[in-house]
Every structure is written in structure tokens, then in C-alpha cells.
Amino acid sequence: MELWLNYVDQILLYATLGLSLNLLLGYAGQVSVAHAAFGAVGGYTMGYMAITHGWNFLAGTLLGMLFAFIIGSIVALPALKLSVEYLILLTLAVSSVIIGVFTTFPELGGTYGLIGLPDADLFGWSLDNPRDWVIPSLVAMLLVYAFCHRLGESSFGRVLKGVREDPLATQALGKNVFAYKVGVFGITSALAGFAGALLAAWFQLATPGVFGFAFSLTIFAIVIFGGMANLTGTVLGATVVVLLDPLLRRAVKMEASKAALVQLIVYGLALVVLMRVRPQGALPEGFSIWRRITKGKPKEMRIEMLDDWEPTTSVGAVHQPGAGLSDEAEAARERLRERVWYEAPVVLETSGVSKRFGGIVAADDLAIQLRRGTITALVGPNGAGKTTVFNLLTGFIRPDGGSVRLNGVELVGENPDKVARMGLVRSFQDVRLMQRLTCLQNVMLAVQNQAGENLGKLLFGGRAASRSEIETRAKAMDWLGFVGMSDFANIPAGALSYGQSKLLSLSRALATEADVLLLDEPASGIDTKWVDTVLDLIEAVREQGRTVCIVEHNLHVVSRLADHTYFMELGRITAQGTIDELSNSPRLAEAYFGTA
């Protein structure tokens, strides 16, 4: 019986460490091979303080968590700009350095580590056998599970998933990706330190062998087998991985040394098979055993039917300006719109903005104005630098010189997330949706000032985060309904057709409630049946008093939407006015179409 209780303890402790890695890897998409090393920080700290200073087990554990948090946060700083491949190498190197440091100092046991740690004492309860460890291990695992669930399944976790799916798009929605990455690295490192201290106290030793590379692979196997971004799956994965050892030893009657070697081989083969057959793991993201038991199997929606869906927006039929008018009347209408544009107050203004990439001039002395409640178009041939202008305005590219002012406030030098929070938001030509998130989650991610995105309010703010989540969901559903996609709230964004993706991208940008929207080719590449819907929605946004700037190649779209048009060539604004005036210029026609 004691032997099986020993395995129960091991399952619970391994699951505790696996849960912290799943929050980092599964939710935030940050790969770390140093997780076991952060566990070693907690284990060695607790063991050293217990042996040399007689510290209580709990006090040593808390100090180990603090050290692991600090080291993890420091490691995160250079890791943020690395690709996955180099991030793996960096964390592998950090793991080797941490273990190497521990083996260097005789006070930490040198090569052999800390052996013969005293029995852990928890509020007068001596934990000196497997039976005594069951309840503390279970409580520890449940606490870490609850903490990770609170973070992962909240608006904070939604941002983490956004960082995992597309950091650039997440930043464009006003989320401080840098802070989230550092924060989750530090938090999960602290949780690893907590689990490592428990493991060291349970083993009564802290050695390089316990927290070495093989142990890191074991924790990885637990997370991947159970399912990334599924905490229950991690507990399942820990159960399977730990029970593999007695299965090999007893059922197959294999020696301990051979069993350990075969166990690693089985890990590798199982992961290879799993990645081929079920890459999402045993329990995929979003799967809930409790929900499955209480509500049964969810109804499946045939993905191939989505392309047959017709948008039904709440905008109503928007009159297409100029429809049925004579050429003379159409010209008069454009002049009226132009006059309205000039009379509207300036919201965003650039002056002298320039940018060079080596010998390539991307922007040269740009001077653009966007006016409140109007639509401005930026047109020009391919390579003119139109999308670069959007990147310069929103902070994704820092100009070499010049000024960008939003409502009189300078934007040059600000990070893209701060620019978005100040009221200037852009969309992307390739939509950049969070493919594994539902349509509703994509739009909820864009809503600003959510209480649950603040860790303090999320953990200690009472019901503020819950109330904010309800309000955020309601706002997101309103914006989905605005573009006619409320019926697809729970459909993954990756299942949408390209036209639907464009509508969802527009809905997400609108949900930021930014004063100024920069829309990069909102009608390009979509079927004609979608174009009028998209244009109707953009016109409805103008009617709300918001300012819009579009980059567009289709002159029909520009003619219908734009109150004022800038023509751009080789990084310079060479003409501006109504689209009719620009279209009648022989020189501009040659630059745009290649014909005079």
C-alpha cells in the first residue's frame, strides 16, 4: 500500500510542476526547457535553508519561489525577441548554467547535491512517509490548478493565448505583450520553484539527477500528452507518465535500470505517435470532462457549410452614394464630400515623416491629415509604401524623422500597444486572426480596460473581474452582431471563409472603440458578394463619427467610400483630392495603371 501511495504522491507533485509549464507553454506559447531548473532553484533553496539555518519547510519554499521568480523574470528579458528555436537553446543553456552553479559550491553539496534533508514539518505535522504526503501534495496540486485556471481561463489568459497565436496582432489591439511575456515567465518560474521545493522535501534530497534534463523531458511529455492549454489533461498526463514505471517493472517484469531506459524510449515513441495521430493531446484545448458529463457531446457544425453563409448585418441597407447619378451629378457629390472633409476637425496629422531601409526610401516627407467623421483613402501602385505608412503611424516602425500627432499628442517613440490604447488602431491585409480562438474570443480580446487583464484585480479584486468579463462578452456580441456574425460566436476563427475572416477582423478592430481606424485593404481578395457588406459597414462606422483611413487598390471601393484621397508614389504623397480628380490625371493614371 505504501508503494502505491508513493506513486500517488509522485503523480500529484509531477502534475503540480506540469501545470505551471502548461500555463507557460500551452496558454502563452513560450517554450522553456529550463522549467525543471527553476524547480531546482526552489528545491535547493529550501534544502539549503533547512540544513544550514534550520528553516521551516514552508519558509524555505516561499524563499525558493521568490528566487525562482526573479531568475525566471531575468531569463525572460532576452528571450522575448527570440524565435522558438533559439528560445529552446537559450532555456537549455540557462538550465545547464543553473544546475552547473549548484554543483560548483560545496555548501550546496557539490556534484552530489543536498542529501538527507530533514523531514518536512508543516504546522507541527511531520511528513515522514508517503501516507503523510498525500493530503499536502493534493492540496498543493489543487492550489496550483486553481491558480493556473484562474489566470488561464480569464481575460488575462485570453491575452496569453493572443500572444501565443500572434504577438503582433495582439499588440496592435493595445495589449502590452512585453509585460505579459515577462509576467507569465516569472509567475510560472515561481510555481516551478514551489513544485521543486515540494519534490526536494518529498525525496529528501536536491541533486542534479533529480532536476536534470531527463526530468525536463518528463514534464514536457506530461504536458504534451495531456493536452496543451488543458489543465485537466496535465493531471491525466502525469498519471500516465508516472504509472508507466510500475507497469514496466511489474507487468513486464523488467529490472529498474532497464525500465528507466525503456521508459525514455516509450516517452519518445509515444510523443511521436501522438503528434501524428492527435497533436492536440489526450484532452484538447477547451475540452472539459465535467461539461461533457453534464451537457453531453456538443453538436458538430459542418465546417464546409460556412462558405454558403450569407451575412445578415444589423446595419440595414446602406445607400450606395452616387448610384444612378449622372457623371455631372456624381462630380458634384464628390466636391460636396471633399468640402465636408476640409471642414471637419483634424484628428491625426503627420508632418515630415521619413523612413529609409538602406537605399530604399519607404517614406519621404509625408504630410497626411485624417479628419473626424470622415473616410480618407491612401492609394498608389504596389511598392508605393502604403502599408509602411500604417506601420509608421501605429509605432510598429519608428520613423527616422518627423511627427505624428493624435489629437495633439505626439505618437512617435510610443510602443504600438500604447498607440492603440490612445485611440489609433489598425487592421491587417492578411487579417491576422487568432485561429484557435473562437470568433467571440477574438473580439473580446480587443475590448479595452478589462479588469481581469490586471493581475491585482483578477486575484484580489473580488467580483470586479467577473463583472468585467460579463460586460466584455456583451460588448463583443454586439460588435459581432454589427457585422452579422453573432451566430458564429463559438466557431473557431480558423474555420471561417476569407470573407467571414474580413468581417471578423473588422469587428475586432471596431471593438477597441478607437477614434481612428486604419483599415488595410478591407475589401481585397474577397468574393463580390462580401464587398458591399464590408463597404456598408465601413460607411456605418463613419456615421458613428469615427475616423477611418483605408489603403485600397480597388478604385471603385475608393470612389464609394473616400471623402478625400491621397496618391502615393515611391514613399511620397504626390497628389491629393477627390478620386475623380486623381483618376483624370494622365500622369497618375500612368503611374497607377502603366498607361497614359
Side-chain angles (χ1 to χ4, degrees), residues 186-220:
I187 290 169
T188 54
S189 297
L191 293 176
F194 173 67
L198 293 176
L199 273 169
W202 182 70
F203 280 123
Q204 292 191 293
L205 52 85
T207 67
V210 171
F211 298 104
F213 182 66
F215 185 56
S216 286
L217 292 183
T218 299
I219 302 304
F220 253 92

PDB file of all heavy atoms in Angstrom, residues 186-220:
ATOM      1  N   GLY A 186       7.861  34.864 -15.180  1.00  0.00           N
ATOM      2  CA  GLY A 186       8.164  34.965 -13.763  1.00  0.00           C
ATOM      3  C   GLY A 186       7.203  34.167 -12.907  1.00  0.00           C
ATOM      4  O   GLY A 186       7.612  33.458 -11.974  1.00  0.00           O
ATOM      5  N   ILE A 187       5.909  34.259 -13.204  1.00  0.00           N
ATOM      6  CA  ILE A 187       4.897  33.544 -12.420  1.00  0.00           C
ATOM      7  C   ILE A 187       5.081  32.035 -12.512  1.00  0.00           C
ATOM      8  O   ILE A 187       5.071  31.332 -11.493  1.00  0.00           O
ATOM      9  CB  ILE A 187       3.485  33.945 -12.895  1.00  0.00           C
ATOM     10  CG1 ILE A 187       3.188  35.392 -12.504  1.00  0.00           C
ATOM     11  CG2 ILE A 187       2.421  33.011 -12.312  1.00  0.00           C
ATOM     12  CD1 ILE A 187       1.934  35.952 -13.144  1.00  0.00           C
ATOM     13  N   THR A 188       5.255  31.526 -13.710  1.00  0.00           N
ATOM     14  CA  THR A 188       5.395  30.074 -13.869  1.00  0.00           C
ATOM     15  C   THR A 188       6.723  29.581 -13.305  1.00  0.00           C
ATOM     16  O   THR A 188       6.805  28.445 -12.828  1.00  0.00           O
ATOM     17  CB  THR A 188       5.277  29.667 -15.345  1.00  0.00           C
ATOM     18  OG1 THR A 188       6.217  30.408 -16.131  1.00  0.00           O
ATOM     19  CG2 THR A 188       3.873  29.937 -15.865  1.00  0.00           C
ATOM     20  N   SER A 189       7.745  30.429 -13.325  1.00  0.00           N
ATOM     21  CA  SER A 189       9.013  30.048 -12.692  1.00  0.00           C
ATOM     22  C   SER A 189       8.826  29.927 -11.185  1.00  0.00           C
ATOM     23  O   SER A 189       9.369  29.003 -10.554  1.00  0.00           O
ATOM     24  CB  SER A 189      10.105  31.077 -13.012  1.00  0.00           C
ATOM     25  OG  SER A 189      10.364  31.133 -14.395  1.00  0.00           O
ATOM     26  N   ALA A 190       8.073  30.856 -10.597  1.00  0.00           N
ATOM     27  CA  ALA A 190       7.791  30.781  -9.160  1.00  0.00           C
ATOM     28  C   ALA A 190       7.004  29.516  -8.825  1.00  0.00           C
ATOM     29  O   ALA A 190       7.281  28.840  -7.820  1.00  0.00           O
ATOM     30  CB  ALA A 190       7.034  32.019  -8.717  1.00  0.00           C
ATOM     31  N   LEU A 191       6.022  29.182  -9.650  1.00  0.00           N
ATOM     32  CA  LEU A 191       5.250  27.961  -9.420  1.00  0.00           C
ATOM     33  C   LEU A 191       6.138  26.724  -9.561  1.00  0.00           C
ATOM     34  O   LEU A 191       5.974  25.743  -8.826  1.00  0.00           O
ATOM     35  CB  LEU A 191       4.087  27.890 -10.413  1.00  0.00           C
ATOM     36  CG  LEU A 191       2.995  28.945 -10.255  1.00  0.00           C
ATOM     37  CD1 LEU A 191       1.956  28.806 -11.359  1.00  0.00           C
ATOM     38  CD2 LEU A 191       2.331  28.833  -8.885  1.00  0.00           C
ATOM     39  N   ALA A 192       7.080  26.762 -10.519  1.00  0.00           N
ATOM     40  CA  ALA A 192       8.023  25.657 -10.663  1.00  0.00           C
ATOM     41  C   ALA A 192       8.900  25.550  -9.428  1.00  0.00           C
ATOM     42  O   ALA A 192       9.216  24.438  -8.959  1.00  0.00           O
ATOM     43  CB  ALA A 192       8.872  25.852 -11.913  1.00  0.00           C
ATOM     44  N   GLY A 193       9.328  26.711  -8.882  1.00  0.00           N
ATOM     45  CA  GLY A 193      10.108  26.690  -7.651  1.00  0.00           C
ATOM     46  C   GLY A 193       9.331  26.082  -6.491  1.00  0.00           C
ATOM     47  O   GLY A 193       9.881  25.349  -5.661  1.00  0.00           O
ATOM     48  N   PHE A 194       8.038  26.380  -6.439  1.00  0.00           N
ATOM     49  CA  PHE A 194       7.168  25.796  -5.413  1.00  0.00           C
ATOM     50  C   PHE A 194       7.118  24.276  -5.551  1.00  0.00           C
ATOM     51  O   PHE A 194       7.308  23.536  -4.564  1.00  0.00           O
ATOM     52  CB  PHE A 194       5.773  26.399  -5.553  1.00  0.00           C
ATOM     53  CG  PHE A 194       4.728  25.773  -4.675  1.00  0.00           C
ATOM     54  CD1 PHE A 194       4.775  25.905  -3.301  1.00  0.00           C
ATOM     55  CD2 PHE A 194       3.669  25.057  -5.231  1.00  0.00           C
ATOM     56  CE1 PHE A 194       3.806  25.331  -2.486  1.00  0.00           C
ATOM     57  CE2 PHE A 194       2.693  24.488  -4.442  1.00  0.00           C
ATOM     58  CZ  PHE A 194       2.757  24.619  -3.058  1.00  0.00           C
ATOM     59  N   ALA A 195       6.866  23.805  -6.773  1.00  0.00           N
ATOM     60  CA  ALA A 195       6.807  22.357  -7.001  1.00  0.00           C
ATOM     61  C   ALA A 195       8.158  21.711  -6.747  1.00  0.00           C
ATOM     62  O   ALA A 195       8.232  20.585  -6.198  1.00  0.00           O
ATOM     63  CB  ALA A 195       6.347  22.084  -8.431  1.00  0.00           C
ATOM     64  N   GLY A 196       9.244  22.391  -7.130  1.00  0.00           N
ATOM     65  CA  GLY A 196      10.575  21.842  -6.897  1.00  0.00           C
ATOM     66  C   GLY A 196      10.893  21.693  -5.425  1.00  0.00           C
ATOM     67  O   GLY A 196      11.528  20.710  -5.007  1.00  0.00           O
ATOM     68  N   ALA A 197      10.479  22.658  -4.614  1.00  0.00           N
ATOM     69  CA  ALA A 197      10.689  22.564  -3.167  1.00  0.00           C
ATOM     70  C   ALA A 197       9.916  21.379  -2.586  1.00  0.00           C
ATOM     71  O   ALA A 197      10.426  20.645  -1.721  1.00  0.00           O
ATOM     72  CB  ALA A 197      10.260  23.860  -2.495  1.00  0.00           C
ATOM     73  N   LEU A 198       8.698  21.178  -3.058  1.00  0.00           N
ATOM     74  CA  LEU A 198       7.910  20.025  -2.598  1.00  0.00           C
ATOM     75  C   LEU A 198       8.592  18.711  -2.988  1.00  0.00           C
ATOM     76  O   LEU A 198       8.662  17.768  -2.177  1.00  0.00           O
ATOM     77  CB  LEU A 198       6.507  20.087  -3.198  1.00  0.00           C
ATOM     78  CG  LEU A 198       5.595  21.222  -2.739  1.00  0.00           C
ATOM     79  CD1 LEU A 198       4.278  21.183  -3.498  1.00  0.00           C
ATOM     80  CD2 LEU A 198       5.336  21.143  -1.246  1.00  0.00           C
ATOM     81  N   LEU A 199       9.079  18.643  -4.225  1.00  0.00           N
ATOM     82  CA  LEU A 199       9.759  17.430  -4.676  1.00  0.00           C
ATOM     83  C   LEU A 199      11.012  17.150  -3.852  1.00  0.00           C
ATOM     84  O   LEU A 199      11.274  16.000  -3.460  1.00  0.00           O
ATOM     85  CB  LEU A 199      10.130  17.557  -6.150  1.00  0.00           C
ATOM     86  CG  LEU A 199       9.070  17.150  -7.170  1.00  0.00           C
ATOM     87  CD1 LEU A 199       9.489  17.578  -8.567  1.00  0.00           C
ATOM     88  CD2 LEU A 199       8.843  15.635  -7.133  1.00  0.00           C
ATOM     89  N   ALA A 200      11.800  18.203  -3.599  1.00  0.00           N
ATOM     90  CA  ALA A 200      13.020  18.027  -2.815  1.00  0.00           C
ATOM     91  C   ALA A 200      12.697  17.552  -1.397  1.00  0.00           C
ATOM     92  O   ALA A 200      13.379  16.669  -0.845  1.00  0.00           O
ATOM     93  CB  ALA A 200      13.808  19.334  -2.774  1.00  0.00           C
ATOM     94  N   ALA A 201      11.647  18.132  -0.803  1.00  0.00           N
ATOM     95  CA  ALA A 201      11.249  17.700   0.540  1.00  0.00           C
ATOM     96  C   ALA A 201      10.727  16.280   0.524  1.00  0.00           C
ATOM     97  O   ALA A 201      10.962  15.500   1.469  1.00  0.00           O
ATOM     98  CB  ALA A 201      10.190  18.664   1.079  1.00  0.00           C
ATOM     99  N   TRP A 202      10.026  15.912  -0.528  1.00  0.00           N
ATOM    100  CA  TRP A 202       9.473  14.548  -0.634  1.00  0.00           C
ATOM    101  C   TRP A 202      10.583  13.516  -0.847  1.00  0.00           C
ATOM    102  O   TRP A 202      10.610  12.478  -0.198  1.00  0.00           O
ATOM    103  CB  TRP A 202       8.483  14.516  -1.795  1.00  0.00           C
ATOM    104  CG  TRP A 202       7.799  13.198  -1.990  1.00  0.00           C
ATOM    105  CD1 TRP A 202       6.863  12.626  -1.174  1.00  0.00           C
ATOM    106  CD2 TRP A 202       7.999  12.292  -3.078  1.00  0.00           C
ATOM    107  NE1 TRP A 202       6.455  11.421  -1.689  1.00  0.00           N
ATOM    108  CE2 TRP A 202       7.138  11.183  -2.864  1.00  0.00           C
ATOM    109  CE3 TRP A 202       8.798  12.308  -4.210  1.00  0.00           C
ATOM    110  CZ2 TRP A 202       7.068  10.111  -3.733  1.00  0.00           C
ATOM    111  CZ3 TRP A 202       8.735  11.240  -5.085  1.00  0.00           C
ATOM    112  CH2 TRP A 202       7.881  10.149  -4.850  1.00  0.00           C
ATOM    113  N   PHE A 203      11.520  13.833  -1.750  1.00  0.00           N
ATOM    114  CA  PHE A 203      12.656  12.934  -1.983  1.00  0.00           C
ATOM    115  C   PHE A 203      13.657  12.985  -0.825  1.00  0.00           C
ATOM    116  O   PHE A 203      14.472  12.082  -0.669  1.00  0.00           O
ATOM    117  CB  PHE A 203      13.404  13.329  -3.267  1.00  0.00           C
ATOM    118  CG  PHE A 203      12.767  12.849  -4.527  1.00  0.00           C
ATOM    119  CD1 PHE A 203      12.401  13.755  -5.521  1.00  0.00           C
ATOM    120  CD2 PHE A 203      12.538  11.498  -4.744  1.00  0.00           C
ATOM    121  CE1 PHE A 203      11.813  13.317  -6.701  1.00  0.00           C
ATOM    122  CE2 PHE A 203      11.957  11.061  -5.928  1.00  0.00           C
ATOM    123  CZ  PHE A 203      11.590  11.960  -6.909  1.00  0.00           C
ATOM    124  N   GLN A 204      13.622  14.074  -0.054  1.00  0.00           N
ATOM    125  CA  GLN A 204      14.608  14.395   0.977  1.00  0.00           C
ATOM    126  C   GLN A 204      16.006  14.562   0.388  1.00  0.00           C
ATOM    127  O   GLN A 204      17.012  14.239   1.020  1.00  0.00           O
ATOM    128  CB  GLN A 204      14.612  13.329   2.098  1.00  0.00           C
ATOM    129  CG  GLN A 204      13.332  13.344   2.926  1.00  0.00           C
ATOM    130  CD  GLN A 204      13.423  12.495   4.163  1.00  0.00           C
ATOM    131  OE1 GLN A 204      13.520  11.265   4.054  1.00  0.00           O
ATOM    132  NE2 GLN A 204      13.401  13.115   5.323  1.00  0.00           N
ATOM    133  N   LEU A 205      16.049  15.091  -0.805  1.00  0.00           N
ATOM    134  CA  LEU A 205      17.310  15.423  -1.451  1.00  0.00           C
ATOM    135  C   LEU A 205      17.054  16.389  -2.605  1.00  0.00           C
ATOM    136  O   LEU A 205      15.964  16.442  -3.159  1.00  0.00           O
ATOM    137  CB  LEU A 205      18.027  14.165  -1.955  1.00  0.00           C
ATOM    138  CG  LEU A 205      17.268  13.165  -2.845  1.00  0.00           C
ATOM    139  CD1 LEU A 205      17.324  13.590  -4.305  1.00  0.00           C
ATOM    140  CD2 LEU A 205      17.869  11.778  -2.713  1.00  0.00           C
ATOM    141  N   ALA A 206      18.098  17.161  -2.926  1.00  0.00           N
ATOM    142  CA  ALA A 206      18.065  18.062  -4.079  1.00  0.00           C
ATOM    143  C   ALA A 206      19.382  17.873  -4.818  1.00  0.00           C
ATOM    144  O   ALA A 206      20.428  18.342  -4.370  1.00  0.00           O
ATOM    145  CB  ALA A 206      17.904  19.516  -3.636  1.00  0.00           C
ATOM    146  N   THR A 207      19.326  17.144  -5.914  1.00  0.00           N
ATOM    147  CA  THR A 207      20.534  16.783  -6.644  1.00  0.00           C
ATOM    148  C   THR A 207      20.369  17.100  -8.128  1.00  0.00           C
ATOM    149  O   THR A 207      19.240  17.232  -8.623  1.00  0.00           O
ATOM    150  CB  THR A 207      20.832  15.277  -6.496  1.00  0.00           C
ATOM    151  OG1 THR A 207      19.797  14.535  -7.160  1.00  0.00           O
ATOM    152  CG2 THR A 207      20.880  14.878  -5.021  1.00  0.00           C
ATOM    153  N   PRO A 208      21.496  17.207  -8.860  1.00  0.00           N
ATOM    154  CA  PRO A 208      21.400  17.427 -10.310  1.00  0.00           C
ATOM    155  C   PRO A 208      20.621  16.324 -11.010  1.00  0.00           C
ATOM    156  O   PRO A 208      19.944  16.583 -12.015  1.00  0.00           O
ATOM    157  CB  PRO A 208      22.866  17.452 -10.755  1.00  0.00           C
ATOM    158  CG  PRO A 208      23.626  17.861  -9.540  1.00  0.00           C
ATOM    159  CD  PRO A 208      22.882  17.249  -8.385  1.00  0.00           C
ATOM    160  N   GLY A 209      20.701  15.087 -10.480  1.00  0.00           N
ATOM    161  CA  GLY A 209      19.973  13.985 -11.101  1.00  0.00           C
ATOM    162  C   GLY A 209      18.468  14.151 -11.015  1.00  0.00           C
ATOM    163  O   GLY A 209      17.737  13.814 -11.943  1.00  0.00           O
ATOM    164  N   VAL A 210      17.991  14.709  -9.901  1.00  0.00           N
ATOM    165  CA  VAL A 210      16.549  14.888  -9.711  1.00  0.00           C
ATOM    166  C   VAL A 210      16.004  15.936 -10.668  1.00  0.00           C
ATOM    167  O   VAL A 210      14.929  15.775 -11.261  1.00  0.00           O
ATOM    168  CB  VAL A 210      16.256  15.282  -8.251  1.00  0.00           C
ATOM    169  CG1 VAL A 210      14.790  15.688  -8.101  1.00  0.00           C
ATOM    170  CG2 VAL A 210      16.586  14.143  -7.318  1.00  0.00           C
ATOM    171  N   PHE A 211      16.750  17.030 -10.857  1.00  0.00           N
ATOM    172  CA  PHE A 211      16.251  18.157 -11.654  1.00  0.00           C
ATOM    173  C   PHE A 211      16.986  18.306 -12.978  1.00  0.00           C
ATOM    174  O   PHE A 211      17.047  19.406 -13.539  1.00  0.00           O
ATOM    175  CB  PHE A 211      16.384  19.453 -10.851  1.00  0.00           C
ATOM    176  CG  PHE A 211      15.577  19.471  -9.588  1.00  0.00           C
ATOM    177  CD1 PHE A 211      16.188  19.303  -8.349  1.00  0.00           C
ATOM    178  CD2 PHE A 211      14.206  19.640  -9.629  1.00  0.00           C
ATOM    179  CE1 PHE A 211      15.450  19.325  -7.182  1.00  0.00           C
ATOM    180  CE2 PHE A 211      13.451  19.663  -8.466  1.00  0.00           C
ATOM    181  CZ  PHE A 211      14.072  19.487  -7.233  1.00  0.00           C
ATOM    182  N   GLY A 212      17.525  17.227 -13.506  1.00  0.00           N
ATOM    183  CA  GLY A 212      18.304  17.286 -14.731  1.00  0.00           C
ATOM    184  C   GLY A 212      17.457  17.348 -15.984  1.00  0.00           C
ATOM    185  O   GLY A 212      16.223  17.485 -15.955  1.00  0.00           O
ATOM    186  N   PHE A 213      18.123  17.206 -17.137  1.00  0.00           N
ATOM    187  CA  PHE A 213      17.464  17.342 -18.433  1.00  0.00           C
ATOM    188  C   PHE A 213      16.409  16.257 -18.645  1.00  0.00           C
ATOM    189  O   PHE A 213      15.357  16.517 -19.235  1.00  0.00           O
ATOM    190  CB  PHE A 213      18.520  17.281 -19.543  1.00  0.00           C
ATOM    191  CG  PHE A 213      17.952  17.467 -20.919  1.00  0.00           C
ATOM    192  CD1 PHE A 213      17.380  18.672 -21.307  1.00  0.00           C
ATOM    193  CD2 PHE A 213      17.968  16.428 -21.840  1.00  0.00           C
ATOM    194  CE1 PHE A 213      16.846  18.851 -22.573  1.00  0.00           C
ATOM    195  CE2 PHE A 213      17.439  16.593 -23.107  1.00  0.00           C
ATOM    196  CZ  PHE A 213      16.880  17.805 -23.475  1.00  0.00           C
ATOM    197  N   ALA A 214      16.696  15.054 -18.160  1.00  0.00           N
ATOM    198  CA  ALA A 214      15.722  13.959 -18.310  1.00  0.00           C
ATOM    199  C   ALA A 214      14.411  14.299 -17.611  1.00  0.00           C
ATOM    200  O   ALA A 214      13.317  13.991 -18.110  1.00  0.00           O
ATOM    201  CB  ALA A 214      16.295  12.663 -17.750  1.00  0.00           C
ATOM    202  N   PHE A 215      14.507  14.986 -16.462  1.00  0.00           N
ATOM    203  CA  PHE A 215      13.304  15.376 -15.739  1.00  0.00           C
ATOM    204  C   PHE A 215      12.536  16.443 -16.524  1.00  0.00           C
ATOM    205  O   PHE A 215      11.303  16.440 -16.556  1.00  0.00           O
ATOM    206  CB  PHE A 215      13.681  15.892 -14.352  1.00  0.00           C
ATOM    207  CG  PHE A 215      12.497  16.213 -13.487  1.00  0.00           C
ATOM    208  CD1 PHE A 215      11.520  15.267 -13.227  1.00  0.00           C
ATOM    209  CD2 PHE A 215      12.350  17.470 -12.927  1.00  0.00           C
ATOM    210  CE1 PHE A 215      10.426  15.563 -12.428  1.00  0.00           C
ATOM    211  CE2 PHE A 215      11.262  17.774 -12.127  1.00  0.00           C
ATOM    212  CZ  PHE A 215      10.304  16.819 -11.883  1.00  0.00           C
ATOM    213  N   SER A 216      13.268  17.365 -17.188  1.00  0.00           N
ATOM    214  CA  SER A 216      12.611  18.366 -18.039  1.00  0.00           C
ATOM    215  C   SER A 216      11.811  17.701 -19.146  1.00  0.00           C
ATOM    216  O   SER A 216      10.672  18.099 -19.438  1.00  0.00           O
ATOM    217  CB  SER A 216      13.650  19.302 -18.660  1.00  0.00           C
ATOM    218  OG  SER A 216      14.157  20.207 -17.714  1.00  0.00           O
ATOM    219  N   LEU A 217      12.388  16.675 -19.772  1.00  0.00           N
ATOM    220  CA  LEU A 217      11.683  15.960 -20.828  1.00  0.00           C
ATOM    221  C   LEU A 217      10.443  15.256 -20.291  1.00  0.00           C
ATOM    222  O   LEU A 217       9.417  15.187 -20.974  1.00  0.00           O
ATOM    223  CB  LEU A 217      12.622  14.943 -21.485  1.00  0.00           C
ATOM    224  CG  LEU A 217      13.783  15.520 -22.302  1.00  0.00           C
ATOM    225  CD1 LEU A 217      14.582  14.399 -22.937  1.00  0.00           C
ATOM    226  CD2 LEU A 217      13.276  16.474 -23.382  1.00  0.00           C
ATOM    227  N   THR A 218      10.547  14.746 -19.080  1.00  0.00           N
ATOM    228  CA  THR A 218       9.394  14.078 -18.465  1.00  0.00           C
ATOM    229  C   THR A 218       8.239  15.060 -18.284  1.00  0.00           C
ATOM    230  O   THR A 218       7.082  14.748 -18.598  1.00  0.00           O
ATOM    231  CB  THR A 218       9.787  13.478 -17.098  1.00  0.00           C
ATOM    232  OG1 THR A 218      10.821  12.513 -17.286  1.00  0.00           O
ATOM    233  CG2 THR A 218       8.583  12.800 -16.443  1.00  0.00           C
ATOM    234  N   ILE A 219       8.540  16.266 -17.791  1.00  0.00           N
ATOM    235  CA  ILE A 219       7.492  17.269 -17.593  1.00  0.00           C
ATOM    236  C   ILE A 219       6.905  17.704 -18.935  1.00  0.00           C
ATOM    237  O   ILE A 219       5.687  17.895 -19.068  1.00  0.00           O
ATOM    238  CB  ILE A 219       8.048  18.484 -16.818  1.00  0.00           C
ATOM    239  CG1 ILE A 219       8.614  18.040 -15.470  1.00  0.00           C
ATOM    240  CG2 ILE A 219       6.966  19.527 -16.610  1.00  0.00           C
ATOM    241  CD1 ILE A 219       7.613  17.294 -14.599  1.00  0.00           C
ATOM    242  N   PHE A 220       7.762  17.837 -19.951  1.00  0.00           N
ATOM    243  CA  PHE A 220       7.274  18.157 -21.292  1.00  0.00           C
ATOM    244  C   PHE A 220       6.325  17.078 -21.784  1.00  0.00           C
ATOM    245  O   PHE A 220       5.272  17.365 -22.372  1.00  0.00           O
ATOM    246  CB  PHE A 220       8.452  18.306 -22.259  1.00  0.00           C
ATOM    247  CG  PHE A 220       8.725  19.726 -22.645  1.00  0.00           C
ATOM    248  CD1 PHE A 220       9.636  20.482 -21.931  1.00  0.00           C
ATOM    249  CD2 PHE A 220       8.069  20.310 -23.705  1.00  0.00           C
ATOM    250  CE1 PHE A 220       9.892  21.801 -22.280  1.00  0.00           C
ATOM    251  CE2 PHE A 220       8.311  21.625 -24.066  1.00  0.00           C
ATOM    252  CZ  PHE A 220       9.229  22.366 -23.347  1.00  0.00           C
TER     253      PHE A 220
END
